[in-house]
Amino acid sequence: MKSYNVDEKMKDIELIKIGLIKVCKSKKNKKKGKNRKYNQAQAILKDPDKYADMILEIILATEIVMNREEQEIYIEDDIQEISYNPEKCEAFTIKDGLSQKEREITSVPLYPDQFIHQLLIEAAQDVWMKGMYKYSCGSIPKRGAHKGQKYIKKYIKRHNTRDKTAIKNGAQLDITKCYQSFSHGYLKSQLKRKFRGKLFLYIIFKVIDSYAHTEINDVCYGLPIGYSTSQWLCNFGLTPLDHYIKCELGVEFYVRYIDDMIIFGRNKKELHKQVKLIAEFIENSGLSIKSNWQVFRYDYINRNGDRKGRAFDTLGQRFFRDKTILRKRNALKIKRQVQKLYKSKEITAHDARSLMSRLGQIKHCNSYNFYMKHIKPFVDIKKLKELIRIESRKHSKACKAI
């Protein structure tokens, strides 16, 4: 495996500034709750050069500490204080989305932790992207759910007319608590194989070690949900699995959306075998397949015209052989949001953006009848777009003033 040195990028003042601005601009001014980080971000955006220099000073001090630790030389207290030492933050639990699934979120300070995390991503992103499987989607630039949806539809459409046996059966499997289960040792060994720069590895190992969901026999496990580095480390850690499935198992069709995997196959026996081999392969990284994995006969229409088998329910949609519709809980969420806006006396720009982002799902599936029945009679799309446009103009003027 080819290795890369990105240490010089870590000390590039322009790259530091780019990462700093990205983090600050991602902070939103929420009307409900605390706006402390947003206010702090706006203050930093007034003088980004000053804070970029401060981050560079932290990186250079960290490099000195790293070198002196390696040579077992005394480290002055003032250098030790300036160097990067991740904050140990307490996690809090939220109930996520319509499913109300409990998730443990860990939030870190904006300065310097979030800036350091973003710098690690900016420095290593090109290297991480080079080895990634083409259809691993989710938390990767230009590889969202829509890319996975397009690939599934394209494959079904192509084989529906040419070779129906290729999509006769399917397997759907998920990784149990993917973020919380990653072995720190496994991630570090994979990073050492890909990166040879000491400074980058020293800092990212500090970030990894700053959180442990569980510890078994002195081995730490877990990536924190809330760190921007976690999604990249997760995809990087699962890349060997992608190559194993495609190259060694020889699976023709395979899509992974973060920890959710979709496979098409010609016979169930072969799919069962592949799932078991996948489960064995990921044991080294501390991961395991959820017990509810399924191998099933894919959707088809029999001679009598009756629909049999099952559709894939993933990526926010249900993929049938001849159509794609919204997942039930997504459709229910849209219906509730539309009714809420219909009954409200005043619609805010935030409400308009929220609904429009959800309505984007309808554009990419066969849900015209759903739109005509549950959306069009209750909301004026043109007015929502105009409201968003006006708010965007106000925001751009405010940014120019800064």
mmCIF file of all heavy atoms in Angstrom, residues 356-399:
data_model
loop_
_atom_site.group_PDB
_atom_site.id
_atom_site.type_symbol
_atom_site.label_atom_id
_atom_site.label_comp_id
_atom_site.label_asym_id
_atom_site.label_seq_id
_atom_site.Cartn_x
_atom_site.Cartn_y
_atom_site.Cartn_z
ATOM 1 N N MET A 356 -38.580 22.304 2.274
ATOM 2 C CA MET A 356 -38.077 22.192 0.906
ATOM 3 C C MET A 356 -36.991 21.124 0.783
ATOM 4 O O MET A 356 -36.909 20.420 -0.221
ATOM 5 C CB MET A 356 -37.536 23.546 0.429
ATOM 6 C CG MET A 356 -38.618 24.584 0.149
ATOM 7 S SD MET A 356 -39.849 24.063 -1.064
ATOM 8 C CE MET A 356 -38.847 23.898 -2.531
ATOM 9 N N SER A 357 -36.178 21.000 1.829
ATOM 10 C CA SER A 357 -35.138 19.964 1.795
ATOM 11 C C SER A 357 -35.760 18.572 1.813
ATOM 12 O O SER A 357 -35.264 17.646 1.165
ATOM 13 C CB SER A 357 -34.187 20.124 2.976
ATOM 14 O OG SER A 357 -34.839 19.863 4.202
ATOM 15 N N ARG A 358 -36.857 18.407 2.535
ATOM 16 C CA ARG A 358 -37.550 17.118 2.569
ATOM 17 C C ARG A 358 -38.273 16.846 1.256
ATOM 18 O O ARG A 358 -38.327 15.702 0.792
ATOM 19 C CB ARG A 358 -38.559 17.086 3.726
ATOM 20 C CG ARG A 358 -37.905 17.025 5.092
ATOM 21 C CD ARG A 358 -38.930 16.805 6.170
ATOM 22 N NE ARG A 358 -38.307 16.794 7.486
ATOM 23 C CZ ARG A 358 -37.692 15.757 8.022
ATOM 24 N NH1 ARG A 358 -37.608 14.629 7.345
ATOM 25 N NH2 ARG A 358 -37.153 15.829 9.219
ATOM 26 N N LEU A 359 -38.827 17.893 0.658
ATOM 27 C CA LEU A 359 -39.560 17.709 -0.600
ATOM 28 C C LEU A 359 -38.619 17.294 -1.733
ATOM 29 O O LEU A 359 -39.062 16.743 -2.750
ATOM 30 C CB LEU A 359 -40.299 18.994 -0.981
ATOM 31 C CG LEU A 359 -41.461 19.397 -0.066
ATOM 32 C CD1 LEU A 359 -42.136 20.659 -0.578
ATOM 33 C CD2 LEU A 359 -42.478 18.277 0.060
ATOM 34 N N GLY A 360 -37.316 17.556 -1.560
ATOM 35 C CA GLY A 360 -36.339 17.129 -2.561
ATOM 36 C C GLY A 360 -36.326 15.621 -2.734
ATOM 37 O O GLY A 360 -35.949 15.111 -3.794
ATOM 38 N N GLN A 361 -36.737 14.882 -1.690
ATOM 39 C CA GLN A 361 -36.795 13.420 -1.783
ATOM 40 C C GLN A 361 -37.822 12.960 -2.822
ATOM 41 O O GLN A 361 -37.629 11.948 -3.501
ATOM 42 C CB GLN A 361 -37.167 12.820 -0.423
ATOM 43 C CG GLN A 361 -36.189 13.136 0.702
ATOM 44 C CD GLN A 361 -36.705 12.636 2.027
ATOM 45 O OE1 GLN A 361 -37.074 11.476 2.164
ATOM 46 N NE2 GLN A 361 -36.746 13.502 3.016
ATOM 47 N N ILE A 362 -38.920 13.710 -2.934
ATOM 48 C CA ILE A 362 -40.008 13.333 -3.840
ATOM 49 C C ILE A 362 -39.560 13.420 -5.294
ATOM 50 O O ILE A 362 -39.980 12.632 -6.144
ATOM 51 C CB ILE A 362 -41.236 14.240 -3.590
ATOM 52 C CG1 ILE A 362 -41.772 13.975 -2.184
ATOM 53 C CG2 ILE A 362 -42.324 14.022 -4.631
ATOM 54 C CD1 ILE A 362 -42.847 14.920 -1.744
ATOM 55 N N LYS A 363 -38.658 14.365 -5.584
ATOM 56 C CA LYS A 363 -38.187 14.587 -6.947
ATOM 57 C C LYS A 363 -37.495 13.355 -7.521
ATOM 58 O O LYS A 363 -37.490 13.142 -8.733
ATOM 59 C CB LYS A 363 -37.229 15.787 -6.937
ATOM 60 C CG LYS A 363 -36.756 16.227 -8.305
ATOM 61 C CD LYS A 363 -35.833 17.425 -8.165
ATOM 62 C CE LYS A 363 -35.279 17.848 -9.528
ATOM 63 N NZ LYS A 363 -34.343 18.984 -9.403
ATOM 64 N N HIS A 364 -36.907 12.550 -6.637
ATOM 65 C CA HIS A 364 -36.093 11.419 -7.088
ATOM 66 C C HIS A 364 -36.783 10.068 -6.929
ATOM 67 O O HIS A 364 -36.122 9.041 -6.849
ATOM 68 C CB HIS A 364 -34.761 11.418 -6.338
ATOM 69 C CG HIS A 364 -33.980 12.682 -6.509
ATOM 70 N ND1 HIS A 364 -33.396 13.031 -7.707
ATOM 71 C CD2 HIS A 364 -33.707 13.688 -5.644
ATOM 72 C CE1 HIS A 364 -32.787 14.192 -7.569
ATOM 73 N NE2 HIS A 364 -32.952 14.606 -6.331
ATOM 74 N N CYS A 365 -38.100 10.087 -6.826
ATOM 75 C CA CYS A 365 -38.828 8.808 -6.762
ATOM 76 C C CYS A 365 -40.215 8.970 -7.382
ATOM 77 O O CYS A 365 -40.610 10.069 -7.758
ATOM 78 C CB CYS A 365 -38.922 8.310 -5.317
ATOM 79 S SG CYS A 365 -39.821 9.397 -4.215
ATOM 80 N N ASN A 366 -40.949 7.873 -7.496
ATOM 81 C CA ASN A 366 -42.267 7.882 -8.137
ATOM 82 C C ASN A 366 -43.358 8.192 -7.106
ATOM 83 O O ASN A 366 -44.134 7.312 -6.728
ATOM 84 C CB ASN A 366 -42.527 6.524 -8.803
ATOM 85 C CG ASN A 366 -41.377 6.106 -9.705
ATOM 86 O OD1 ASN A 366 -40.674 5.155 -9.431
ATOM 87 N ND2 ASN A 366 -41.185 6.835 -10.790
ATOM 88 N N SER A 367 -43.393 9.438 -6.662
ATOM 89 C CA SER A 367 -44.350 9.835 -5.624
ATOM 90 C C SER A 367 -45.195 11.031 -6.055
ATOM 91 O O SER A 367 -45.545 11.898 -5.246
ATOM 92 C CB SER A 367 -43.607 10.167 -4.320
ATOM 93 O OG SER A 367 -42.965 9.027 -3.813
ATOM 94 N N TYR A 368 -45.526 11.075 -7.341
ATOM 95 C CA TYR A 368 -46.328 12.188 -7.860
ATOM 96 C C TYR A 368 -47.713 12.232 -7.214
ATOM 97 O O TYR A 368 -48.197 13.300 -6.818
ATOM 98 C CB TYR A 368 -46.463 12.076 -9.383
ATOM 99 C CG TYR A 368 -47.315 13.147 -10.008
ATOM 100 C CD1 TYR A 368 -46.821 14.443 -10.185
ATOM 101 C CD2 TYR A 368 -48.624 12.881 -10.417
ATOM 102 C CE1 TYR A 368 -47.605 15.439 -10.743
ATOM 103 C CE2 TYR A 368 -49.415 13.864 -10.987
ATOM 104 C CZ TYR A 368 -48.903 15.139 -11.140
ATOM 105 O OH TYR A 368 -49.680 16.127 -11.698
ATOM 106 N N ASN A 369 -48.353 11.071 -7.086
ATOM 107 C CA ASN A 369 -49.699 11.019 -6.494
ATOM 108 C C ASN A 369 -49.673 11.468 -5.030
ATOM 109 O O ASN A 369 -50.588 12.135 -4.549
ATOM 110 C CB ASN A 369 -50.273 9.604 -6.587
ATOM 111 C CG ASN A 369 -50.593 9.214 -8.020
ATOM 112 O OD1 ASN A 369 -50.790 10.085 -8.867
ATOM 113 N ND2 ASN A 369 -50.635 7.925 -8.299
ATOM 114 N N PHE A 370 -48.600 11.089 -4.319
ATOM 115 C CA PHE A 370 -48.436 11.525 -2.926
ATOM 116 C C PHE A 370 -48.324 13.045 -2.857
ATOM 117 O O PHE A 370 -48.939 13.688 -1.996
ATOM 118 C CB PHE A 370 -47.177 10.868 -2.346
ATOM 119 C CG PHE A 370 -46.813 11.354 -0.972
ATOM 120 C CD1 PHE A 370 -47.447 10.846 0.155
ATOM 121 C CD2 PHE A 370 -45.835 12.322 -0.801
ATOM 122 C CE1 PHE A 370 -47.113 11.306 1.426
ATOM 123 C CE2 PHE A 370 -45.499 12.783 0.460
ATOM 124 C CZ PHE A 370 -46.143 12.272 1.575
ATOM 125 N N TYR A 371 -47.569 13.620 -3.780
ATOM 126 C CA TYR A 371 -47.396 15.079 -3.823
ATOM 127 C C TYR A 371 -48.734 15.775 -4.103
ATOM 128 O O TYR A 371 -49.091 16.753 -3.422
ATOM 129 C CB TYR A 371 -46.376 15.441 -4.907
ATOM 130 C CG TYR A 371 -46.248 16.925 -5.151
ATOM 131 C CD1 TYR A 371 -45.507 17.737 -4.305
ATOM 132 C CD2 TYR A 371 -46.895 17.518 -6.241
ATOM 133 C CE1 TYR A 371 -45.410 19.099 -4.531
ATOM 134 C CE2 TYR A 371 -46.799 18.874 -6.481
ATOM 135 C CZ TYR A 371 -46.059 19.666 -5.621
ATOM 136 O OH TYR A 371 -45.967 21.023 -5.843
ATOM 137 N N MET A 372 -49.479 15.295 -5.076
ATOM 138 C CA MET A 372 -50.739 15.922 -5.459
ATOM 139 C C MET A 372 -51.789 15.822 -4.355
ATOM 140 O O MET A 372 -52.633 16.720 -4.193
ATOM 141 C CB MET A 372 -51.276 15.276 -6.733
ATOM 142 C CG MET A 372 -50.405 15.507 -7.956
ATOM 143 S SD MET A 372 -50.181 17.256 -8.360
ATOM 144 C CE MET A 372 -51.817 17.696 -8.909
ATOM 145 N N LYS A 373 -51.753 14.742 -3.572
ATOM 146 C CA LYS A 373 -52.770 14.519 -2.548
ATOM 147 C C LYS A 373 -52.431 15.186 -1.214
ATOM 148 O O LYS A 373 -53.299 15.795 -0.573
ATOM 149 C CB LYS A 373 -52.948 13.020 -2.329
ATOM 150 C CG LYS A 373 -54.045 12.679 -1.334
ATOM 151 C CD LYS A 373 -54.204 11.173 -1.213
ATOM 152 C CE LYS A 373 -55.286 10.811 -0.184
ATOM 153 N NZ LYS A 373 -55.442 9.340 -0.041
ATOM 154 N N HIS A 374 -51.168 15.113 -0.792
ATOM 155 C CA HIS A 374 -50.814 15.520 0.568
ATOM 156 C C HIS A 374 -50.001 16.811 0.673
ATOM 157 O O HIS A 374 -49.829 17.335 1.776
ATOM 158 C CB HIS A 374 -50.019 14.399 1.252
ATOM 159 C CG HIS A 374 -50.778 13.122 1.381
ATOM 160 N ND1 HIS A 374 -51.838 12.973 2.251
ATOM 161 C CD2 HIS A 374 -50.644 11.932 0.725
ATOM 162 C CE1 HIS A 374 -52.307 11.736 2.157
ATOM 163 N NE2 HIS A 374 -51.611 11.081 1.236
ATOM 164 N N ILE A 375 -49.518 17.349 -0.453
ATOM 165 C CA ILE A 375 -48.652 18.531 -0.368
ATOM 166 C C ILE A 375 -49.214 19.730 -1.131
ATOM 167 O O ILE A 375 -49.399 20.799 -0.558
ATOM 168 C CB ILE A 375 -47.237 18.186 -0.888
ATOM 169 C CG1 ILE A 375 -46.618 17.109 0.004
ATOM 170 C CG2 ILE A 375 -46.347 19.422 -0.913
ATOM 171 C CD1 ILE A 375 -45.412 16.443 -0.556
ATOM 172 N N LYS A 376 -49.490 19.554 -2.401
ATOM 173 C CA LYS A 376 -49.900 20.677 -3.243
ATOM 174 C C LYS A 376 -51.120 21.441 -2.714
ATOM 175 O O LYS A 376 -51.135 22.683 -2.747
ATOM 176 C CB LYS A 376 -50.157 20.200 -4.675
ATOM 177 C CG LYS A 376 -50.318 21.367 -5.642
ATOM 178 C CD LYS A 376 -50.436 20.895 -7.076
ATOM 179 C CE LYS A 376 -50.569 22.098 -8.006
ATOM 180 N NZ LYS A 376 -50.696 21.690 -9.418
ATOM 181 N N PRO A 377 -52.165 20.775 -2.198
ATOM 182 C CA PRO A 377 -53.335 21.525 -1.711
ATOM 183 C C PRO A 377 -53.080 22.365 -0.449
ATOM 184 O O PRO A 377 -53.882 23.238 -0.120
ATOM 185 C CB PRO A 377 -54.364 20.419 -1.405
ATOM 186 C CG PRO A 377 -53.884 19.213 -2.118
ATOM 187 C CD PRO A 377 -52.404 19.315 -2.139
ATOM 188 N N PHE A 378 -51.963 22.116 0.250
ATOM 189 C CA PHE A 378 -51.766 22.728 1.563
ATOM 190 C C PHE A 378 -50.626 23.751 1.632
ATOM 191 O O PHE A 378 -50.619 24.591 2.522
ATOM 192 C CB PHE A 378 -51.516 21.633 2.610
ATOM 193 C CG PHE A 378 -52.601 20.605 2.667
ATOM 194 C CD1 PHE A 378 -52.433 19.349 2.103
ATOM 195 C CD2 PHE A 378 -53.824 20.907 3.273
ATOM 196 C CE1 PHE A 378 -53.447 18.403 2.151
ATOM 197 C CE2 PHE A 378 -54.843 19.973 3.325
ATOM 198 C CZ PHE A 378 -54.651 18.725 2.758
ATOM 199 N N VAL A 379 -49.664 23.687 0.723
ATOM 200 C CA VAL A 379 -48.555 24.652 0.761
ATOM 201 C C VAL A 379 -48.305 25.233 -0.624
ATOM 202 O O VAL A 379 -48.497 24.561 -1.631
ATOM 203 C CB VAL A 379 -47.245 24.014 1.290
ATOM 204 C CG1 VAL A 379 -47.376 23.645 2.749
ATOM 205 C CG2 VAL A 379 -46.823 22.816 0.452
ATOM 206 N N ASP A 380 -47.882 26.492 -0.628
ATOM 207 C CA ASP A 380 -47.533 27.174 -1.869
ATOM 208 C C ASP A 380 -46.010 27.128 -2.016
ATOM 209 O O ASP A 380 -45.288 27.862 -1.334
ATOM 210 C CB ASP A 380 -48.036 28.621 -1.826
ATOM 211 C CG ASP A 380 -47.923 29.315 -3.180
ATOM 212 O OD1 ASP A 380 -47.027 28.907 -3.957
ATOM 213 O OD2 ASP A 380 -48.692 30.245 -3.455
ATOM 214 N N ILE A 381 -45.512 26.288 -2.903
ATOM 215 C CA ILE A 381 -44.073 26.086 -3.073
ATOM 216 C C ILE A 381 -43.383 27.377 -3.512
ATOM 217 O O ILE A 381 -42.275 27.694 -3.064
ATOM 218 C CB ILE A 381 -43.786 24.957 -4.085
ATOM 219 C CG1 ILE A 381 -44.438 23.641 -3.638
ATOM 220 C CG2 ILE A 381 -42.290 24.773 -4.278
ATOM 221 C CD1 ILE A 381 -43.923 23.107 -2.324
ATOM 222 N N LYS A 382 -44.030 28.144 -4.396
ATOM 223 C CA LYS A 382 -43.437 29.397 -4.884
ATOM 224 C C LYS A 382 -43.197 30.381 -3.745
ATOM 225 O O LYS A 382 -42.171 31.058 -3.690
ATOM 226 C CB LYS A 382 -44.347 30.029 -5.947
ATOM 227 C CG LYS A 382 -44.314 29.294 -7.282
ATOM 228 C CD LYS A 382 -45.141 30.032 -8.314
ATOM 229 C CE LYS A 382 -45.071 29.306 -9.661
ATOM 230 N NZ LYS A 382 -45.885 29.998 -10.698
ATOM 231 N N LYS A 383 -44.153 30.455 -2.819
ATOM 232 C CA LYS A 383 -44.009 31.367 -1.676
ATOM 233 C C LYS A 383 -42.884 30.925 -0.751
ATOM 234 O O LYS A 383 -42.131 31.746 -0.205
ATOM 235 C CB LYS A 383 -45.326 31.449 -0.901
ATOM 236 C CG LYS A 383 -46.384 32.297 -1.583
ATOM 237 C CD LYS A 383 -47.616 32.453 -0.701
ATOM 238 C CE LYS A 383 -48.660 33.340 -1.381
ATOM 239 N NZ LYS A 383 -49.873 33.494 -0.530
ATOM 240 N N LEU A 384 -42.741 29.618 -0.559
ATOM 241 C CA LEU A 384 -41.652 29.102 0.276
ATOM 242 C C LEU A 384 -40.293 29.437 -0.332
ATOM 243 O O LEU A 384 -39.368 29.854 0.371
ATOM 244 C CB LEU A 384 -41.790 27.580 0.428
ATOM 245 C CG LEU A 384 -42.993 27.050 1.216
ATOM 246 C CD1 LEU A 384 -42.945 25.531 1.272
ATOM 247 C CD2 LEU A 384 -43.029 27.610 2.631
ATOM 248 N N LYS A 385 -40.188 29.275 -1.647
ATOM 249 C CA LYS A 385 -38.925 29.587 -2.330
ATOM 250 C C LYS A 385 -38.599 31.071 -2.243
ATOM 251 O O LYS A 385 -37.441 31.451 -2.062
ATOM 252 C CB LYS A 385 -39.010 29.154 -3.805
ATOM 253 C CG LYS A 385 -38.955 27.649 -4.012
ATOM 254 C CD LYS A 385 -38.981 27.306 -5.484
ATOM 255 C CE LYS A 385 -38.855 25.800 -5.698
ATOM 256 N NZ LYS A 385 -38.923 25.439 -7.132
ATOM 257 N N GLU A 386 -39.623 31.895 -2.370
ATOM 258 C CA GLU A 386 -39.424 33.350 -2.277
ATOM 259 C C GLU A 386 -38.964 33.743 -0.876
ATOM 260 O O GLU A 386 -38.076 34.596 -0.713
ATOM 261 C CB GLU A 386 -40.723 34.074 -2.640
ATOM 262 C CG GLU A 386 -40.618 35.590 -2.659
ATOM 263 C CD GLU A 386 -39.630 36.098 -3.692
ATOM 264 O OE1 GLU A 386 -39.429 35.423 -4.717
ATOM 265 O OE2 GLU A 386 -39.055 37.173 -3.453
ATOM 266 N N LEU A 387 -39.546 33.125 0.141
ATOM 267 C CA LEU A 387 -39.167 33.392 1.535
ATOM 268 C C LEU A 387 -37.702 33.018 1.774
ATOM 269 O O LEU A 387 -36.950 33.762 2.413
ATOM 270 C CB LEU A 387 -40.077 32.590 2.465
ATOM 271 C CG LEU A 387 -39.930 32.819 3.972
ATOM 272 C CD1 LEU A 387 -40.233 34.264 4.341
ATOM 273 C CD2 LEU A 387 -40.858 31.894 4.737
ATOM 274 N N ILE A 388 -37.282 31.887 1.239
ATOM 275 C CA ILE A 388 -35.891 31.438 1.376
ATOM 276 C C ILE A 388 -34.954 32.389 0.634
ATOM 277 O O ILE A 388 -33.879 32.745 1.131
ATOM 278 C CB ILE A 388 -35.731 29.998 0.827
ATOM 279 C CG1 ILE A 388 -36.514 29.017 1.698
ATOM 280 C CG2 ILE A 388 -34.265 29.589 0.777
ATOM 281 C CD1 ILE A 388 -36.681 27.637 1.087
ATOM 282 N N ARG A 389 -35.362 32.840 -0.547
ATOM 283 C CA ARG A 389 -34.561 33.756 -1.349
ATOM 284 C C ARG A 389 -34.323 35.076 -0.618
ATOM 285 O O ARG A 389 -33.213 35.602 -0.583
ATOM 286 C CB ARG A 389 -35.256 33.997 -2.688
ATOM 287 C CG ARG A 389 -34.346 34.512 -3.791
ATOM 288 C CD ARG A 389 -35.087 34.661 -5.112
ATOM 289 N NE ARG A 389 -35.515 33.375 -5.627
ATOM 290 C CZ ARG A 389 -36.779 33.023 -5.821
ATOM 291 N NH1 ARG A 389 -37.753 33.862 -5.543
ATOM 292 N NH2 ARG A 389 -37.082 31.842 -6.300
ATOM 293 N N ILE A 390 -35.381 35.609 -0.019
ATOM 294 C CA ILE A 390 -35.274 36.886 0.709
ATOM 295 C C ILE A 390 -34.325 36.742 1.899
ATOM 296 O O ILE A 390 -33.476 37.609 2.146
ATOM 297 C CB ILE A 390 -36.674 37.349 1.184
ATOM 298 C CG1 ILE A 390 -37.532 37.758 -0.017
ATOM 299 C CG2 ILE A 390 -36.562 38.510 2.170
ATOM 300 C CD1 ILE A 390 -39.000 37.925 0.291
ATOM 301 N N GLU A 391 -34.474 35.648 2.625
ATOM 302 C CA GLU A 391 -33.619 35.410 3.800
ATOM 303 C C GLU A 391 -32.158 35.224 3.393
ATOM 304 O O GLU A 391 -31.251 35.690 4.091
ATOM 305 C CB GLU A 391 -34.124 34.169 4.545
ATOM 306 C CG GLU A 391 -33.475 33.933 5.890
ATOM 307 C CD GLU A 391 -33.790 35.021 6.914
ATOM 308 O OE1 GLU A 391 -34.828 35.702 6.770
ATOM 309 O OE2 GLU A 391 -32.996 35.178 7.858
ATOM 310 N N SER A 392 -31.920 34.573 2.270
ATOM 311 C CA SER A 392 -30.553 34.356 1.781
ATOM 312 C C SER A 392 -29.890 35.676 1.406
ATOM 313 O O SER A 392 -28.697 35.879 1.655
ATOM 314 C CB SER A 392 -30.557 33.428 0.571
ATOM 315 O OG SER A 392 -31.054 32.161 0.915
ATOM 316 N N ARG A 393 -30.671 36.571 0.802
ATOM 317 C CA ARG A 393 -30.133 37.901 0.447
ATOM 318 C C ARG A 393 -29.738 38.680 1.692
ATOM 319 O O ARG A 393 -28.698 39.334 1.728
ATOM 320 C CB ARG A 393 -31.167 38.679 -0.359
ATOM 321 C CG ARG A 393 -31.325 38.199 -1.787
ATOM 322 C CD ARG A 393 -32.505 38.890 -2.457
ATOM 323 N NE ARG A 393 -32.755 38.335 -3.788
ATOM 324 C CZ ARG A 393 -33.896 38.512 -4.440
ATOM 325 N NH1 ARG A 393 -34.901 39.192 -3.884
ATOM 326 N NH2 ARG A 393 -34.048 38.007 -5.651
ATOM 327 N N LYS A 394 -30.576 38.603 2.722
ATOM 328 C CA LYS A 394 -30.273 39.294 3.998
ATOM 329 C C LYS A 394 -28.979 38.745 4.602
ATOM 330 O O LYS A 394 -28.137 39.494 5.084
ATOM 331 C CB LYS A 394 -31.429 39.105 4.979
ATOM 332 C CG LYS A 394 -32.666 39.904 4.656
ATOM 333 C CD LYS A 394 -33.745 39.641 5.709
ATOM 334 C CE LYS A 394 -35.038 40.381 5.398
ATOM 335 N NZ LYS A 394 -36.099 40.071 6.378
ATOM 336 N N HIS A 395 -28.846 37.411 4.565
ATOM 337 C CA HIS A 395 -27.665 36.774 5.142
ATOM 338 C C HIS A 395 -26.392 37.139 4.380
ATOM 339 O O HIS A 395 -25.344 37.394 4.976
ATOM 340 C CB HIS A 395 -27.850 35.251 5.141
ATOM 341 C CG HIS A 395 -26.715 34.507 5.758
ATOM 342 N ND1 HIS A 395 -26.449 34.545 7.118
ATOM 343 C CD2 HIS A 395 -25.738 33.717 5.195
ATOM 344 C CE1 HIS A 395 -25.386 33.816 7.374
ATOM 345 N NE2 HIS A 395 -24.933 33.301 6.229
ATOM 346 N N SER A 396 -26.485 37.173 3.040
ATOM 347 C CA SER A 396 -25.308 37.512 2.234
ATOM 348 C C SER A 396 -24.879 38.962 2.461
ATOM 349 O O SER A 396 -23.687 39.267 2.511
ATOM 350 C CB SER A 396 -25.586 37.298 0.740
ATOM 351 O OG SER A 396 -26.641 38.118 0.300
ATOM 352 N N LYS A 397 -25.842 39.872 2.653
ATOM 353 C CA LYS A 397 -25.502 41.263 2.959
ATOM 354 C C LYS A 397 -24.816 41.377 4.314
ATOM 355 O O LYS A 397 -23.876 42.154 4.490
ATOM 356 C CB LYS A 397 -26.783 42.122 2.936
ATOM 357 C CG LYS A 397 -27.309 42.393 1.540
ATOM 358 C CD LYS A 397 -28.579 43.231 1.600
ATOM 359 C CE LYS A 397 -29.130 43.477 0.189
ATOM 360 N NZ LYS A 397 -30.395 44.249 0.215
ATOM 361 N N ALA A 398 -25.305 40.594 5.278
ATOM 362 C CA ALA A 398 -24.703 40.613 6.632
ATOM 363 C C ALA A 398 -23.270 40.096 6.581
ATOM 364 O O ALA A 398 -22.376 40.618 7.254
ATOM 365 C CB ALA A 398 -25.545 39.783 7.576
ATOM 366 N N CYS A 399 -23.032 39.058 5.772
ATOM 367 C CA CYS A 399 -21.679 38.486 5.642
ATOM 368 C C CYS A 399 -20.715 39.476 4.984
ATOM 369 O O CYS A 399 -19.555 39.589 5.381
ATOM 370 C CB CYS A 399 -21.715 37.202 4.823
ATOM 371 S SG CYS A 399 -22.496 35.820 5.704
#
